[in-house]
Amino acid sequence: MTTLFPLHKTARPALALLGLGLGLAGCQSNLDATAPAASAGPLDFTSYVAIGNSLTSGYSDGGLYNEVQAVSYPALLAQQFGTTGKGPANFVQPAFSSAKKDGSGYIKLQVVNGALAPVVPSAANSYLGEQVAYTGANPTFPSELEAYTGNQPDNLGVPGISVLSASAKASTVPLIAGAAQAYGTLNNFYQRLLPPADRGSKDYVTYIGQKNPTFFTCWLGNNDVLTYATNGGVVDPANPFSNMTDTTSFGRGYRDILSTITKAGTVKGAVANIPNVTNIPYFTTVPVATVIAGIKANPALPNAAGASLYITTGTGTVREATSADLLTLPAQSVIGTPSTTNPFPVGVGYSATQANPLPSKYVLDATEAAAVVARTAQLNTIIAKTALRFKVPVVDMSTFFTSIATRGITTNAVNNSAAFVTGNLFSLDGVHPTPRGYAVVANEWIRVINNYYGSTIPSLDPNIYRGVLLP
Amino acid sequence: MQVKSILLAGGALLAASSGAQASGFQVGLTGQKNVAMGGTGTGLYLDQASQFYNPGAFAFAPTGFQVGGNMAIPRISFRPDAADQGQRNLQNTNVFPFSGFIGFGPKEGKWRLGAGVYTPFGSEVHYQPGWEGRYALTDINLRSVFVQATAAYAITPQVSVGAGLVMLAMGSVDLQRDIPLQAQGSTTPAHAQLTGNADHKLGYNAGILFKPSEKLSLGISYRSAIDAHVGSGDITLTNLPASARSNFSATSFDVTLPLPDVYSVGLGIRPNDKLTLAFDANLVGWSRYQSLDFTYAGGVLGGAATSSSKREYQDALAFRVGAQYKITDNFTVRAGTFYDMSCVRDGFVTPETPDADRLGLTAGFTYAFGQRFGLDASFLFEDFMKRSQTQDDLISNGTTDRVAGTYKTTISVPGVGLYMKF
């Protein structure tokens, strides 16, 4: 080789270098290769069964409908379990037929008199144009919903069900135990899941005992305090399940449920406890201070500066509301409205005469709120003890939701909070999550299941799922 | 009831995908010969691009004209901290930085006058539709063109000084992201696009070259900082729910992006007539960039009249080595390498600047067609270190306006230039 390189030779290494460079340019780093693979660990999700109430069923915006049912947290969990290769091939939800996809109907945000307002579907407004599933066979509530006719589903969530109403063994009071047994005639969401022959006789625990899961989740107990709380602490004499459940009955019922679904402790799963209901938008969206400030600034009200908001407490006392009293979401549309005896400006709750206080069912007064919080803590203790006995982890939704209420939760650059409408997580009923809220809930289940069992189930990107839709 | 108010927080102006060869969103692909030698140029003179690297060295540089361009081919991978969406790749877009210089003066004289045009900052990134970080950033495109007039003077045959007047002649930004608001009946969220042109701004650079012998030269140079300011940029919103419009009434925005100053020292060594070695160190004053603050005019954007997003950049060092070897009178080959430290702290990485410490490898050659004309070619490959941040990192830093996950970037930049000697 000569020391002097003619050009046509010397140019070659340079061109080869350029070629190598262009080759490198096509290289995309593979970060997936370095990430931990999805693994079920010791778990088997091939027959995953979810038991619970409205939260489990995928209830949102005050109704059960196909769109949100499809993104209920059990459906999202089943989807993520599937990534481990040991997931259910087909997670069956008791969906409504496509022509009646809007199920029980759901609240929509609409512009009413120039302002945004959640509008509840009803026969009077033609169900807001929704394709509802009421059959009309039972005109008084609960009106019958289109029956689900497939095989017993895997998502067994029944809106409205409590531990007390789920197990005929929970209460020793014959009326209550009997009502639990005949729950299929009392709750249209349970009714639609049962064959007609079972509706008056099969309690929920017997119904879930028909399944043979390899893994289960259970989130029950909320309605043992929530039904009472959302009704402003007013017990409905016609509804045996409308009071707070006593701890003895709750313990018996919860043990019955876990014993049945775990097949006496042999099936793995996870349970969730009861969030503090006083943190949810249903009780936080209408603060007493804001209402009182509004009354005092109302130019239509005589002597407005001296006026205030008056409520009827659970004991029947009429008094001025304080910041320790929690007004319910429906109270918003009641306060200040005229009645036959007190036409506006002396509307409901306004003080001028104290003769027209806000009815008790629209306010969870300070005493009632404290009782609900105390009972929730007691029931959560029972849930923890029972879970320990059946060797399943507890997803501490109480702590989780308190954290969200305090700090919010950020998902990929989106700030979510417990605020009504603007917070993305709670739907228009102020109690149940939006699809995004359900995804956040599913991630918390996954986190706890992974921690407890050593599995590596991947979590979800909640931003894929919607918050509240705006008109 | 109050309509959703979501702060269109922060936002970002510039990205690094084309930020080849320098931390943050600097481009620094000026002069093909310098690029091929690892980005050195402070301690020696190669050609008229000295106006950029060290105006002091320009006094000794040959007179002539040169123009060149590069194609930056970025590959950015992102994997979210959580979720099984898997790796996201960018819609990879090639960008084309360019530079051109002209230098006049007596052939063996003591002074030089010159002019130049180059693109020291800029970038373009387009993420996949629907990616995790869509509410932080979906698309960004920043362009900047600087022009410079330079004068240099050799005080003695050993010492020369020079200075340039630098102007941000053209700057444009196009920033897009989704807004977490969705209309009834719509399957996609609202989308915001912010576009604007930067004001003309002046800066300067200056440098000294000390040449104790034919075999050795030392240089120091400084480039001043410039605040790129977009006065009344346009806000375009699409797919916004009608009931949310009152929270998005802003019609224009105002933002200032601080561009850093750069301190450089360099060394040139010529052991013989054929071989030249160059060493450079740069200190880039990125700590000027602490936050990105938007002010909205004509109303609010997401319920707020201003927004602020933390950047908290730190000053960044880069070390460069380059060599050239003259194989024949007509053919010269070059190679180099550099290590460039990230100006972005841990937990502050944004999708628009997925910055990381990076290693560069360069190569190139010059072929001269006779005495006056020639062709330069360069190639640069940059490998960014893999960089991760968790949601907990973001929360503890107060930087949750970006996404948690792992970034990995590589960039390949071929370039070609032509020159003419006077």
Side-chain angles (χ1 to χ4, degrees):
Chain A
M1 195 178 277
T2 55
T3 48
L4 279 178
F5 292 72
L7 167 70
H8 64 272
K9 278 189 181 170
T10 52
R12 266 185 210 150
L15 290 172
L17 189 71
L18 200 66
L20 172 71
L22 289 171
L24 285 170
C27 283
Q28 184 90 46
S29 308
N30 186 0
L31 295 174
D32 278 342
T34 60
S39 160
L43 301 175
D44 176 6
F45 303 115
T46 47
S47 177
Y48 162 49
V49 169
I51 61 177
N53 48 43
S54 51
L55 294 163
T56 298
S57 70
Y59 191 97
S60 194
D61 297 323
L64 183 67
Y65 58 111
N66 285 1
E67 183 211 337
V68 182
Q69 193 180 39
V71 291
S72 61
Y73 78 81
L76 299 178
L77 287 181
Q79 170 195 310
Q80 299 306 99
F81 292 163
T83 64
T84 66
K86 287 194 172 178
N90 183 20
F91 183 77
V92 179
Q93 308 242 37
F96 296 94
S97 61
S98 58
K100 297 178 176 181
K101 64 185 173 65
D102 295 321
S104 62
Y106 57 94
I107 302 168
K108 274 184 183 171
L109 213 50
Q110 294 189 338
V111 178
V112 180
N113 299 327
L116 275 181
V119 179
V120 179
S122 67
N125 60 23
S126 304
Y127 293 101
L128 304 172
E130 294 165 3
Q131 295 169 277
V132 293
Y134 293 106
T135 60
N138 181 2
T140 59
F141 189 82
S143 178
E144 276 183 29
L145 288 163
E146 177 193 58
Y148 170 76
T149 53
N151 291 333
Q152 190 175 7
D154 299 314
N155 184 340
L156 301 176
V158 171
I161 201 164
S162 59
V163 168
L164 190 65
S165 55
S167 166
K169 294 181 191 167
S171 177
T172 52
V173 178
L175 175 73
I176 296 176
Q181 202 154 10
Y183 197 58
T185 60
L186 299 175
N187 180 325
N188 53 347
F189 293 104
Y190 187 41
Q191 180 187 45
R192 68 179 282 267
L193 298 181
L194 293 177
D198 290 345
R199 286 176 186 168
S201 58
K202 188 172 278 180
D203 74 349
Y204 185 66
V205 172
T206 310
Y207 176 69
I208 64 177
Q210 295 169 186
K211 297 291 282 188
N212 288 304
T214 57
F215 187 84
F216 77 94
T217 58
C218 170
W219 193 4
L220 274 169
N222 307 60
N223 289 323
D224 292 274
V225 289
L226 188 68
T227 308
Y228 173 83
T230 51
N231 206 30
V234 175
V235 176
D236 176 4
N239 180 353
F241 307 116
S242 62
N243 206 337
M244 285 193 290
T245 302
D246 66 279
T247 52
T248 311
S249 298
F250 187 88
R252 272 195 300 261
Y254 206 77
R255 282 190 294 277
D256 187 25
I257 290 161
L258 282 201
S259 172
T260 301
I261 197 68
T262 64
K263 307 291 178 191
T266 59
V267 177
K268 291 185 170 72
V271 301
N273 66 9
I274 309 167
N276 180 347
V277 300
T278 60
N279 281 332
I280 60 179
Y282 190 85
F283 292 110
T284 59
T285 305
V286 194
V288 167
T290 308
V291 173
I292 291 179
I295 291 171
K296 291 188 186 299
N298 189 339
L301 207 58
N303 191 24
S308 189
L309 175 70
Y310 276 74
I311 60 167
T312 311
T313 70
T315 56
T317 310
V318 174
R319 63 166 170 82
E320 189 176 2
T322 75
S323 58
D325 301 315
L326 302 175
L327 303 177
T328 66
L329 196 55
Q332 196 171 28
S333 52
V334 174
I335 294 168
T337 54
S339 66
T340 46
T341 50
N342 290 90
F344 193 80
V346 190
V348 172
Y350 288 4
S351 66
T353 66
Q354 293 191 26
N356 194 18
L358 187 67
S360 177
K361 68 172 181 171
Y362 295 111
V363 54
L364 194 68
D365 69 57
T367 313
E368 293 166 338
V372 168
V373 171
R375 183 60 53 87
T376 303
Q378 290 170 334
L379 301 188
N380 280 345
T381 304
I382 294 170
I383 289 173
K385 275 186 184 170
T386 314
L388 198 62
R389 181 171 153 185
F390 290 96
K391 299 186 184 66
V392 292
V394 178
V395 183
D396 189 354
M397 289 298 178
S398 179
T399 301
F400 184 64
F401 274 93
T402 300
S403 159
I404 287 177
T406 317
R407 289 187 292 279
I409 184 169
T410 304
T411 52
N412 287 332
V414 178
N415 295 320
N416 308 288
S417 74
F420 191 54
V421 179
T422 61
N424 299 323
L425 300 179
F426 282 95
S427 71
L428 295 170
D429 58 32
V431 175
H432 298 90
T434 58
R436 182 170 304 165
Y438 279 122
V440 165
V441 163
N443 279 346
E444 184 62 8
W445 280 95
I446 289 169
R447 192 183 67 78
V448 172
I449 291 169
N450 282 343
N451 273 352
Y452 188 83
Y453 291 109
S455 49
T456 51
I457 303 151
S459 53
L460 296 141
D461 174 16
N463 293 1
I464 294 173
Y465 306 94
R466 69 165 175 86
V468 172
L469 296 176
L470 299 180
Chain B
M1 188 196 306
Q2 199 198 345
V3 178
K4 224 169 207 208
S5 97
I6 283 158
L7 191 66
L8 192 77
L13 267 178
L14 307 176
S17 81
S18 67
Q21 210 179 323
S23 62
F25 42 82
Q26 286 190 88
V27 177
L29 288 166
T30 308
Q32 299 302 322
K33 296 184 182 74
N34 299 87
V35 171
M37 290 178 69
T40 57
T42 312
L44 75 174
Y45 45 89
L46 296 168
D47 61 15
Q48 299 82 33
S50 289
Q51 293 174 64
F52 175 81
Y53 288 95
N54 183 352
F58 178 52
F60 295 117
T63 56
F65 171 76
Q66 60 154 300
V67 63
N70 298 76
M71 178 165 76
I73 309 166
R75 291 288 180 270
I76 304 182
S77 304
F78 173 77
R79 193 174 197 289
D81 187 25
D84 69 336
Q85 306 306 310
Q87 173 174 320
R88 300 305 185 99
N89 303 326
L90 263 73
Q91 301 176 54
N92 296 302
T93 305
N94 301 331
V95 293
F96 299 91
F98 61 88
S99 65
F101 293 93
I102 189 163
F104 301 99
K107 201 164 175 69
E108 301 298 332
K110 292 183 156 193
W111 56 269
R112 292 282 183 273
L113 291 175
V117 56
Y118 47 88
T119 54
F121 299 97
S123 115
E124 186 167 354
V125 180
H126 302 279
Y127 284 90
Q128 279 182 348
W131 85 293
E132 279 75 6
R134 67 194 297 176
Y135 300 110
L137 182 75
T138 58
D139 302 89
I140 184 167
N141 188 355
L142 177 108
R143 295 197 172 104
S144 75
V145 177
F146 282 62
V147 296
Q148 176 173 346
T150 316
Y153 181 71
I155 301 166
T156 73
Q158 281 78 42
V159 178
S160 61
V161 295
L165 185 65
V166 173
M167 184 171 81
L168 169 58
M170 195 285 281
S172 71
V173 64
D174 178 345
L175 168 68
Q176 299 185 48
R177 66 163 68 181
D178 285 345
I179 305 170
L181 276 179
Q182 197 170 325
Q184 288 167 6
S186 173
T187 54
T188 52
H191 188 77
Q193 180 178 25
L194 274 62
T195 53
N197 291 315
D199 304 341
H200 296 168
K201 280 285 179 77
L202 289 177
Y204 65 93
N205 70 347
I208 301 171
L209 190 80
F210 177 54
K211 197 169 68 165
S213 78
E214 280 303 312
K215 292 187 184 298
L216 185 68
S217 55
L218 294 154
I220 301 172
S221 73
Y222 174 75
R223 285 183 71 76
S224 72
I226 289 181
D227 284 335
H229 175 250
V230 175
S232 124
D234 292 327
I235 298 170
T236 308
L237 299 164
T238 48
N239 219 5
L240 196 66
S243 61
R245 288 210 181 111
S246 62
N247 271 282
F248 290 86
S249 55
T251 51
S252 68
F253 71 92
D254 185 299
V255 68
T256 299
L257 185 79
L259 304 177
D261 50 1
V262 183
Y263 298 84
S264 299
V265 295
L267 185 65
I269 302 171
R270 298 183 65 198
N272 57 52
D273 281 353
K274 293 187 171 179
L275 182 66
T276 304
L277 301 172
F279 303 89
D280 263 34
N282 313 116
L283 175 66
V284 186
W286 275 118
S287 58
R288 305 183 72 232
Y289 189 25
Q290 288 298 303
S291 69
L292 184 60
D293 303 314
F294 284 85
T295 305
Y296 305 111
V300 293
L301 198 64
T306 60
S307 74
S308 181
S309 177
K310 286 186 186 179
R311 291 296 179 271
E312 299 191 11
Y313 277 23
Q314 58 193 352
D315 293 345
L317 277 169
F319 299 98
R320 306 172 185 281
V321 180
Q324 72 171 17
Y325 189 80
K326 196 169 182 178
I327 294 171
T328 71
D329 282 348
N330 287 344
F331 190 67
T332 304
V333 293
R334 299 186 182 86
T337 182
F338 60 84
Y339 192 79
D340 193 354
M341 298 176 192
S342 174
C343 57
V344 181
R345 296 172 200 266
D346 289 342
F348 285 84
V349 180
T350 57
E352 80 273 13
T353 311
D355 201 29
D357 291 353
R358 48 183 103 166
L359 181 68
L361 295 172
T362 67
F365 63 88
T366 291
Y367 182 70
F369 303 96
Q371 294 299 308
R372 283 177 165 268
F373 301 96
L375 178 143
D376 296 324
S378 71
F379 185 80
L380 161 65
F381 179 74
E382 264 186 280
D383 189 23
F384 288 54
M385 306 300 121
K386 192 166 79 174
R387 192 152 201 204
S388 296
Q389 55 190 6
T390 65
Q391 187 68 27
D392 287 343
D393 293 338
L394 299 184
I395 290 169
S396 63
N397 288 333
T399 51
T400 50
D401 58 352
R402 57 213 77 180
V403 288
T406 301
Y407 290 94
K408 170 74 182 170
T409 303
T410 58
I411 307 178
S412 300
V413 193
V416 66
L418 294 168
Y419 68 82
M420 180 175 73
K421 290 179 182 170
F422 297 148

